[in-house]
Amino acid sequence: MFSAFRKLLPIKISAADSIAFSLALLHKNHEPTLSRSCKIQCFVNLCSLVDVLSSKTGRKNCKSEKQLENEKSCTVSFLIDSCGLSPEMAVSVSEKVRFDNSEKPNFVVTTLKDYGFSQKQIAVIVRKKPNILMSKKKTLLPKLEFFQSVGFPMARLATVIARDPTFFSRSLENQLIPSYNFLKSVLLTDERVAIAMQQSRRISQQNPTRNIAPNVAVLRELVVPESCIVLLLTHHPETLVEEIDEFKEAVKKVLGMGFDPLRSTFVLALHVVAEKTNRRIWDQCFETYRSWGWSKDDVYLAFRRHPNCMILSQNKISRTMDFLVNKMGWDSRIVLSCPAVLLFNLENRIIPRCYVIRVLSSRGLISKEVKLSVFLMPSETHFLEKFVTKHEEEVPQLCDVYKGRICLEDLGYLGHT
């Protein structure tokens, strides 16, 4: 019936229209007026049309899958051959970016190479931010051209971008140029600017007039030496990106702890106190020191002497304390005279030097009350001259002790003295 009706129409009816018409005829409002044979014919027509649609959709899906497969193959090959990714990584990255021709990706890779990016750096950038391969010329080139025009070392810029490829997503006029100009005005050298940009991605994500410049102004009002401001902005720029009110509160807190704004420990303490990520670590450090018998005053004394001792891992503190207290037999408060030693490598510096000191003190060649700063702070050359070479005639095995070739147990020096 419907087929005959369709032939009478002067225009073609789509498959979707045919289904709609058949459904309308079968609607309950029309059902009483349709004969049984008419209902059956409508149902048959509907089923046939659904089959046709399904068949066409199936063919479309099949074509789409084939196209996707071709795109994936093209993408994976390009990622391996032009970007230097491993086959496994290329397959993984191809799930995040696809292309059926390599014109645009070729432009991106060629441009990066022209500006001094190494193959390894390009691979890192693509792995971190695959969509960079689809960047437009106006997105990529102006940023590279600007930094080249101001004489910024392109090798350092490549390092900065490899560390944080979202660099290319930032506004040149509103973020990158103002940030660079301000950093250069304070830090004076591009080398320092590059270090600051590597230390904090946020330093170039916002206009400096928002937080950074006002926070620097706060420090200058306190007459903090410019060298200390440079130290903070170069190595701990995240501190100056904090919101102005929170930064001022941190400054007030550090002043209340007795830090002198004229000394570098002031900005180092500010770095510890001001940054949100450091606040949780502070609490953990505080509890760890307390567990080793320190009082609250001891903790604050150590912090004033070396602020970074309050942003160490609990494991680092406990392993060092365990060695000094349980292996060397010293009181945990021995560290208070020089908290900086907690930052040293336990296996490569603290243990070898302490073992040499144990041997020398057991032989009566040095005082048993020697301070940690005397033998842990000097350079390796100075330490060897003063504590190893100087006594090699009296203790021929001393160098082997230092190098870990002889255990103290073998020499009978492990007991507490």
Side-chain angles (χ1 to χ4, degrees):
M1 177 200 69
F2 182 74
S3 299
F5 172 78
R6 192 174 181 182
K7 288 179 181 179
L8 295 176
L9 293 177
I11 58 173
K12 288 186 178 181
I13 299 178
S14 68
D17 292 334
S18 301
I19 292 177
F21 184 80
S22 297
L23 288 172
L25 288 177
L26 289 172
H27 192 271
K28 63 180 181 179
N29 292 335
H30 299 280
E31 186 175 350
T33 63
L34 296 175
S35 65
R36 185 172 181 275
S37 60
C38 183
K39 292 179 181 178
I40 293 174
Q41 185 61 47
C42 283
F43 184 74
V44 170
N45 288 339
L46 182 60
C47 291
S48 298
L49 288 167
V50 170
D51 288 342
V52 169
L53 279 178
S54 298
S55 176
K56 288 183 178 180
T57 303
R59 286 198 296 272
K60 287 181 181 179
N61 286 342
C62 183
K63 182 179 178 182
S64 177
E65 289 174 5
K66 185 176 180 180
Q67 183 181 4
L68 288 173
E69 192 60 37
N70 289 337
E71 287 180 355
K72 182 172 183 178
S73 177
C74 175
T75 303
V76 170
S77 296
F78 183 86
L79 292 172
I80 295 172
D81 299 335
S82 300
C83 300
L85 269 64
S86 67
E88 296 78 12
M89 182 56 67
V91 171
S92 175
V93 170
S94 70
E95 298 300 323
K96 301 174 184 177
V97 63
R98 292 280 178 87
F99 43 84
D100 55 7
N101 71 79
S102 57
E103 181 179 353
K104 190 175 287 186
N106 256 329
F107 162 76
V108 172
V109 171
T110 300
T111 299
L112 293 178
K113 287 182 178 179
D114 289 344
Y115 278 88
F117 288 70
S118 68
Q119 183 74 52
K120 183 178 180 180
Q121 288 170 328
I122 292 173
V124 170
I125 291 170
V126 171
R127 176 174 57 80
K128 290 182 177 179
K129 190 173 175 60
N131 284 335
I132 197 173
L133 292 173
M134 307 309 293
S135 298
K136 297 178 181 178
K137 184 177 181 180
K138 64 180 181 180
T139 300
L140 212 64
L141 274 180
K143 292 158 188 175
L144 295 172
E145 289 172 347
F146 167 75
F147 279 91
Q148 186 179 61
S149 70
V150 297
F152 196 89
M154 298 311 290
R156 292 309 304 260
L157 183 65
T159 302
V160 169
I161 296 175
R163 185 180 180 89
D164 176 26
T166 61
F167 174 94
F168 285 119
S169 304
R170 293 165 202 161
S171 167
L172 179 61
E173 291 75 17
N174 299 326
Q175 295 173 309
L176 295 179
I177 291 178
S179 177
Y180 170 77
N181 288 337
F182 179 79
L183 290 174
K184 185 66 177 288
S185 71
V186 178
L187 302 180
L188 303 180
T189 71
D190 285 319
E191 185 69 20
R192 290 176 184 153
V193 172
I195 294 172
M197 292 172 68
Q198 284 179 243
Q199 294 293 332
S200 169
R201 65 173 60 186
R202 290 203 297 163
I203 203 76
S204 58
Q205 281 180 336
Q206 62 174 239
N207 192 298
T209 58
R210 178 183 169 187
N211 291 326
I212 306 169
N215 288 338
V216 168
V218 170
L219 297 181
R220 285 173 173 162
E221 287 176 6
L222 290 171
V223 200
V224 173
E226 203 64 21
S227 60
C228 293
I229 294 176
V230 169
L231 170 66
L232 184 64
L233 185 56
T234 303
H235 298 285
H236 307 295
E238 281 285 304
T239 304
L240 293 163
V241 182
E242 297 295 336
E243 296 295 329
I244 301 171
D245 290 342
E246 294 182 4
F247 182 80
K248 289 181 177 179
E249 189 63 32
V251 168
K252 183 179 178 181
K253 186 175 181 179
V254 171
L255 287 171
M257 292 178 180
F259 284 90
D260 183 356
L262 300 180
R263 302 185 63 181
S264 61
T265 49
F266 176 82
V267 293
L268 293 177
L270 194 55
H271 156 62
V272 174
V273 173
E275 291 185 33
K276 294 182 179 67
T277 54
N278 288 337
R279 295 172 193 171
R280 178 178 55 83
I281 302 175
W282 168 286
D283 293 336
Q284 295 173 347
C285 287
F286 187 89
E287 293 304 321
T288 303
Y289 289 127
R290 296 282 281 148
S291 71
W292 284 98
W294 285 16
S295 68
K296 180 180 178 180
D297 289 340
D298 289 336
V299 176
Y300 279 91
L301 175 60
F303 177 59
R304 284 193 294 273
R305 287 177 172 170
H306 197 84
N308 284 346
C309 74
M310 293 304 293
I311 50 174
L312 297 173
S313 72
Q314 292 172 284
N315 182 58
K316 176 74 173 74
I317 297 170
S318 291
R319 289 181 66 241
T320 302
M321 286 291 200
D322 178 66
F323 173 76
L324 296 177
V325 174
N326 297 324
K327 292 291 185 182
M328 296 301 295
W330 295 329
D331 188 284
S332 67
R333 298 179 78 255
I334 193 175
V335 176
L336 288 174
S337 64
C338 187
V341 302
L342 290 166
L343 281 71
F344 295 151
N345 185 281
L346 179 61
E347 287 77 15
N348 298 335
R349 187 169 187 143
I350 296 177
I351 292 178
R353 295 192 183 193
C354 282
Y355 281 169
V356 168
I357 296 303
R358 167 53 53 80
V359 172
L360 294 177
S361 62
S362 297
R363 289 286 190 96
L365 298 172
I366 61 172
S367 170
K368 296 182 183 295
E369 305 300 323
V370 62
K371 294 182 178 180
L372 295 181
S373 58
V374 172
F375 62 90
L376 288 180
M377 294 298 292
S379 66
E380 182 176 31
T381 300
H382 187 197
F383 173 81
L384 289 174
E385 289 176 354
K386 185 174 182 179
F387 295 102
V388 178
T389 307
K390 181 180 178 180
H391 301 286
E392 58 186 358
E393 289 187 8
E394 296 98 328
V395 190
Q397 312 99 320
L398 205 53
C399 185
D400 289 330
V401 169
Y402 180 71
K403 296 294 184 181
R405 292 192 288 260
I406 295 180
C407 297
L408 291 194
E409 293 95 324
D410 298 336
L411 297 176
Y413 291 120
L414 197 59
H416 298 163
T417 62

